[in-house]
Amino acid sequence: IISFINLGYNFPENSFNQLRNLDTLVITGLRFRPHIAHAHFDLTFSWIKELKPKKAFLTHLSPDSDHDSVLSLCPQNVEPAYDNMTFNI
């Protein structure tokens, strides 16, 4: 099962609970600093830790989020996505 999430802070609890233990989670991870509308890295990583997907990809990175820098922050099962990225499901 795969899910794509591109939202900010208002995450309905019922929806959140349905995302536990997915095979693949594609989730917003905008930048280091908090943002008014989108989740920042610390929040995204806390969601990933709680949801426990087998693999997670960060999407919607801001232009000031360098791929290699973000990759160095990611837990073992997480990596930043990039334009034209493909993966098997």
Side-chain angles (χ1 to χ4, degrees):
I1 297 174
I2 184 171
S3 181
F4 173 78
I5 304 166
N6 185 18
L7 53 85
Y9 299 96
N10 296 324
F11 208 129
E13 185 176 349
N14 185 42
S15 298
F16 187 84
N17 289 330
Q18 293 180 36
L19 299 171
R20 295 183 187 280
N21 303 307
L22 293 171
D23 292 328
T24 305
L25 177 65
V26 181
I27 188 168
T28 189
L30 184 66
R31 62 185 187 189
F32 296 97
R33 298 179 325 277
H35 184 273
I36 194 168
H38 298 283
H40 59 288
F41 296 138
D42 286 343
L43 180 58
T44 299
F45 291 148
S46 71
W47 285 343
I48 292 169
K49 184 177 180 180
E50 187 173 347
L51 292 172
K52 296 178 175 56
K54 290 179 183 172
K55 184 71 178 176
F57 297 98
L58 303 179
T59 190
H60 200 77
L61 300 176
S62 75
D64 61 339
S65 296
D66 174 73
H67 186 275
D68 291 336
S69 297
V70 175
L71 183 60
S72 70
L73 299 173
C74 290
Q76 185 175 5
N77 65 327
V78 180
E79 65 181 271
Y82 51 87
D83 291 345
N84 297 314
M85 181 179 186
T86 62
F87 55 90
N88 295 320
I89 54 172

